[in-house]
Amino acid sequence: MKKKSLFDIAMEEKNRKQLEDENVVVTKKNSKISIAVSIIGGVIKFCFYVIVCVLLTVGTTVLTNSELREQLMNIVNLNL
């Protein structure tokens, strides 16, 4: 097996660097519409989580408190 000379090693390194430099890197540019949609989506998610937390709190309170449970049943029966 023949040993590589310093010149061969340097040429291989140079070719490898040239190949790496020629690689194309594609980056995604965010448009104004995509930014607006992501912001609106975040606001909707936040509102959904707040509503769920409020309903869970009210539900827990109603289940543990008998007076509130009776009032809620009266409200539901009046609306039906």
PDB file of all heavy atoms in Angstrom, residues 38-55:
ATOM      1  N   SER A  38     -49.656  32.777  12.894  1.00  0.00           N
ATOM      2  CA  SER A  38     -49.081  32.159  14.092  1.00  0.00           C
ATOM      3  C   SER A  38     -49.446  32.953  15.345  1.00  0.00           C
ATOM      4  O   SER A  38     -49.708  32.366  16.399  1.00  0.00           O
ATOM      5  CB  SER A  38     -47.571  32.032  13.956  1.00  0.00           C
ATOM      6  OG  SER A  38     -46.963  33.304  13.916  1.00  0.00           O
ATOM      7  N   ILE A  39     -49.492  34.273  15.250  1.00  0.00           N
ATOM      8  CA  ILE A  39     -49.883  35.098  16.396  1.00  0.00           C
ATOM      9  C   ILE A  39     -51.343  34.861  16.751  1.00  0.00           C
ATOM     10  O   ILE A  39     -51.694  34.678  17.920  1.00  0.00           O
ATOM     11  CB  ILE A  39     -49.603  36.593  16.119  1.00  0.00           C
ATOM     12  CG1 ILE A  39     -48.099  36.840  16.071  1.00  0.00           C
ATOM     13  CG2 ILE A  39     -50.270  37.479  17.163  1.00  0.00           C
ATOM     14  CD1 ILE A  39     -47.715  38.225  15.633  1.00  0.00           C
ATOM     15  N   ILE A  40     -52.218  34.840  15.738  1.00  0.00           N
ATOM     16  CA  ILE A  40     -53.639  34.608  15.982  1.00  0.00           C
ATOM     17  C   ILE A  40     -53.861  33.214  16.572  1.00  0.00           C
ATOM     18  O   ILE A  40     -54.655  33.032  17.486  1.00  0.00           O
ATOM     19  CB  ILE A  40     -54.446  34.800  14.677  1.00  0.00           C
ATOM     20  CG1 ILE A  40     -54.433  36.282  14.290  1.00  0.00           C
ATOM     21  CG2 ILE A  40     -55.879  34.302  14.832  1.00  0.00           C
ATOM     22  CD1 ILE A  40     -55.007  36.568  12.925  1.00  0.00           C
ATOM     23  N   GLY A  41     -53.118  32.231  16.067  1.00  0.00           N
ATOM     24  CA  GLY A  41     -53.221  30.876  16.616  1.00  0.00           C
ATOM     25  C   GLY A  41     -52.810  30.826  18.069  1.00  0.00           C
ATOM     26  O   GLY A  41     -53.442  30.147  18.885  1.00  0.00           O
ATOM     27  N   GLY A  42     -51.760  31.557  18.424  1.00  0.00           N
ATOM     28  CA  GLY A  42     -51.322  31.605  19.814  1.00  0.00           C
ATOM     29  C   GLY A  42     -52.351  32.249  20.716  1.00  0.00           C
ATOM     30  O   GLY A  42     -52.589  31.790  21.843  1.00  0.00           O
ATOM     31  N   VAL A  43     -52.977  33.323  20.234  1.00  0.00           N
ATOM     32  CA  VAL A  43     -54.008  34.000  21.029  1.00  0.00           C
ATOM     33  C   VAL A  43     -55.210  33.076  21.232  1.00  0.00           C
ATOM     34  O   VAL A  43     -55.768  32.996  22.335  1.00  0.00           O
ATOM     35  CB  VAL A  43     -54.432  35.323  20.343  1.00  0.00           C
ATOM     36  CG1 VAL A  43     -55.668  35.917  20.991  1.00  0.00           C
ATOM     37  CG2 VAL A  43     -53.285  36.320  20.367  1.00  0.00           C
ATOM     38  N   ILE A  44     -55.599  32.359  20.181  1.00  0.00           N
ATOM     39  CA  ILE A  44     -56.742  31.445  20.294  1.00  0.00           C
ATOM     40  C   ILE A  44     -56.428  30.321  21.278  1.00  0.00           C
ATOM     41  O   ILE A  44     -57.263  29.951  22.106  1.00  0.00           O
ATOM     42  CB  ILE A  44     -57.127  30.896  18.907  1.00  0.00           C
ATOM     43  CG1 ILE A  44     -57.746  32.018  18.063  1.00  0.00           C
ATOM     44  CG2 ILE A  44     -58.098  29.722  19.027  1.00  0.00           C
ATOM     45  CD1 ILE A  44     -58.011  31.645  16.633  1.00  0.00           C
ATOM     46  N   LYS A  45     -55.215  29.776  21.207  1.00  0.00           N
ATOM     47  CA  LYS A  45     -54.828  28.726  22.154  1.00  0.00           C
ATOM     48  C   LYS A  45     -54.859  29.248  23.585  1.00  0.00           C
ATOM     49  O   LYS A  45     -55.338  28.577  24.496  1.00  0.00           O
ATOM     50  CB  LYS A  45     -53.428  28.202  21.838  1.00  0.00           C
ATOM     51  CG  LYS A  45     -53.371  27.256  20.683  1.00  0.00           C
ATOM     52  CD  LYS A  45     -51.951  26.755  20.506  1.00  0.00           C
ATOM     53  CE  LYS A  45     -51.819  25.865  19.297  1.00  0.00           C
ATOM     54  NZ  LYS A  45     -50.435  25.396  19.100  1.00  0.00           N
ATOM     55  N   PHE A  46     -54.339  30.458  23.795  1.00  0.00           N
ATOM     56  CA  PHE A  46     -54.324  31.048  25.125  1.00  0.00           C
ATOM     57  C   PHE A  46     -55.744  31.217  25.662  1.00  0.00           C
ATOM     58  O   PHE A  46     -56.032  30.858  26.807  1.00  0.00           O
ATOM     59  CB  PHE A  46     -53.598  32.392  25.104  1.00  0.00           C
ATOM     60  CG  PHE A  46     -53.603  33.100  26.420  1.00  0.00           C
ATOM     61  CD1 PHE A  46     -52.778  32.672  27.452  1.00  0.00           C
ATOM     62  CD2 PHE A  46     -54.435  34.184  26.629  1.00  0.00           C
ATOM     63  CE1 PHE A  46     -52.790  33.320  28.676  1.00  0.00           C
ATOM     64  CE2 PHE A  46     -54.445  34.837  27.845  1.00  0.00           C
ATOM     65  CZ  PHE A  46     -53.624  34.413  28.872  1.00  0.00           C
ATOM     66  N   CYS A  47     -56.647  31.755  24.829  1.00  0.00           N
ATOM     67  CA  CYS A  47     -58.041  31.934  25.246  1.00  0.00           C
ATOM     68  C   CYS A  47     -58.691  30.597  25.571  1.00  0.00           C
ATOM     69  O   CYS A  47     -59.440  30.478  26.553  1.00  0.00           O
ATOM     70  CB  CYS A  47     -58.831  32.652  24.156  1.00  0.00           C
ATOM     71  SG  CYS A  47     -58.358  34.368  23.937  1.00  0.00           S
ATOM     72  N   PHE A  48     -58.412  29.574  24.767  1.00  0.00           N
ATOM     73  CA  PHE A  48     -58.963  28.243  25.012  1.00  0.00           C
ATOM     74  C   PHE A  48     -58.507  27.713  26.369  1.00  0.00           C
ATOM     75  O   PHE A  48     -59.309  27.197  27.147  1.00  0.00           O
ATOM     76  CB  PHE A  48     -58.549  27.291  23.891  1.00  0.00           C
ATOM     77  CG  PHE A  48     -58.980  25.872  24.104  1.00  0.00           C
ATOM     78  CD1 PHE A  48     -60.301  25.508  23.929  1.00  0.00           C
ATOM     79  CD2 PHE A  48     -58.063  24.913  24.489  1.00  0.00           C
ATOM     80  CE1 PHE A  48     -60.706  24.204  24.131  1.00  0.00           C
ATOM     81  CE2 PHE A  48     -58.447  23.609  24.697  1.00  0.00           C
ATOM     82  CZ  PHE A  48     -59.774  23.251  24.507  1.00  0.00           C
ATOM     83  N   TYR A  49     -57.217  27.850  26.675  1.00  0.00           N
ATOM     84  CA  TYR A  49     -56.701  27.372  27.952  1.00  0.00           C
ATOM     85  C   TYR A  49     -57.296  28.136  29.125  1.00  0.00           C
ATOM     86  O   TYR A  49     -57.600  27.553  30.172  1.00  0.00           O
ATOM     87  CB  TYR A  49     -55.175  27.442  27.996  1.00  0.00           C
ATOM     88  CG  TYR A  49     -54.499  26.449  27.082  1.00  0.00           C
ATOM     89  CD1 TYR A  49     -53.418  26.825  26.299  1.00  0.00           C
ATOM     90  CD2 TYR A  49     -54.936  25.140  26.993  1.00  0.00           C
ATOM     91  CE1 TYR A  49     -52.794  25.912  25.457  1.00  0.00           C
ATOM     92  CE2 TYR A  49     -54.324  24.226  26.152  1.00  0.00           C
ATOM     93  CZ  TYR A  49     -53.254  24.621  25.393  1.00  0.00           C
ATOM     94  OH  TYR A  49     -52.639  23.731  24.561  1.00  0.00           O
ATOM     95  N   VAL A  50     -57.495  29.438  28.968  1.00  0.00           N
ATOM     96  CA  VAL A  50     -58.099  30.231  30.040  1.00  0.00           C
ATOM     97  C   VAL A  50     -59.534  29.783  30.278  1.00  0.00           C
ATOM     98  O   VAL A  50     -59.965  29.609  31.430  1.00  0.00           O
ATOM     99  CB  VAL A  50     -58.029  31.735  29.706  1.00  0.00           C
ATOM    100  CG1 VAL A  50     -58.903  32.547  30.644  1.00  0.00           C
ATOM    101  CG2 VAL A  50     -56.590  32.219  29.762  1.00  0.00           C
ATOM    102  N   ILE A  51     -60.290  29.563  29.197  1.00  0.00           N
ATOM    103  CA  ILE A  51     -61.682  29.123  29.329  1.00  0.00           C
ATOM    104  C   ILE A  51     -61.746  27.754  30.004  1.00  0.00           C
ATOM    105  O   ILE A  51     -62.579  27.532  30.895  1.00  0.00           O
ATOM    106  CB  ILE A  51     -62.372  29.102  27.950  1.00  0.00           C
ATOM    107  CG1 ILE A  51     -62.578  30.535  27.460  1.00  0.00           C
ATOM    108  CG2 ILE A  51     -63.703  28.360  27.999  1.00  0.00           C
ATOM    109  CD1 ILE A  51     -63.037  30.633  26.024  1.00  0.00           C
ATOM    110  N   VAL A  52     -60.871  26.848  29.612  1.00  0.00           N
ATOM    111  CA  VAL A  52     -60.854  25.513  30.225  1.00  0.00           C
ATOM    112  C   VAL A  52     -60.535  25.615  31.713  1.00  0.00           C
ATOM    113  O   VAL A  52     -61.185  24.966  32.543  1.00  0.00           O
ATOM    114  CB  VAL A  52     -59.855  24.588  29.494  1.00  0.00           C
ATOM    115  CG1 VAL A  52     -59.599  23.326  30.293  1.00  0.00           C
ATOM    116  CG2 VAL A  52     -60.363  24.248  28.113  1.00  0.00           C
ATOM    117  N   CYS A  53     -59.566  26.440  32.061  1.00  0.00           N
ATOM    118  CA  CYS A  53     -59.217  26.598  33.483  1.00  0.00           C
ATOM    119  C   CYS A  53     -60.371  27.181  34.282  1.00  0.00           C
ATOM    120  O   CYS A  53     -60.651  26.728  35.403  1.00  0.00           O
ATOM    121  CB  CYS A  53     -57.978  27.468  33.628  1.00  0.00           C
ATOM    122  SG  CYS A  53     -56.475  26.663  33.074  1.00  0.00           S
ATOM    123  N   VAL A  54     -61.062  28.175  33.734  1.00  0.00           N
ATOM    124  CA  VAL A  54     -62.205  28.781  34.427  1.00  0.00           C
ATOM    125  C   VAL A  54     -63.310  27.751  34.613  1.00  0.00           C
ATOM    126  O   VAL A  54     -63.897  27.627  35.696  1.00  0.00           O
ATOM    127  CB  VAL A  54     -62.710  30.020  33.662  1.00  0.00           C
ATOM    128  CG1 VAL A  54     -64.055  30.481  34.186  1.00  0.00           C
ATOM    129  CG2 VAL A  54     -61.692  31.142  33.759  1.00  0.00           C
ATOM    130  N   LEU A  55     -63.612  26.995  33.554  1.00  0.00           N
ATOM    131  CA  LEU A  55     -64.671  25.998  33.665  1.00  0.00           C
ATOM    132  C   LEU A  55     -64.302  24.892  34.655  1.00  0.00           C
ATOM    133  O   LEU A  55     -65.170  24.409  35.394  1.00  0.00           O
ATOM    134  CB  LEU A  55     -64.981  25.406  32.290  1.00  0.00           C
ATOM    135  CG  LEU A  55     -65.675  26.347  31.302  1.00  0.00           C
ATOM    136  CD1 LEU A  55     -65.819  25.679  29.950  1.00  0.00           C
ATOM    137  CD2 LEU A  55     -67.014  26.802  31.831  1.00  0.00           C
TER     138      LEU A  55
END
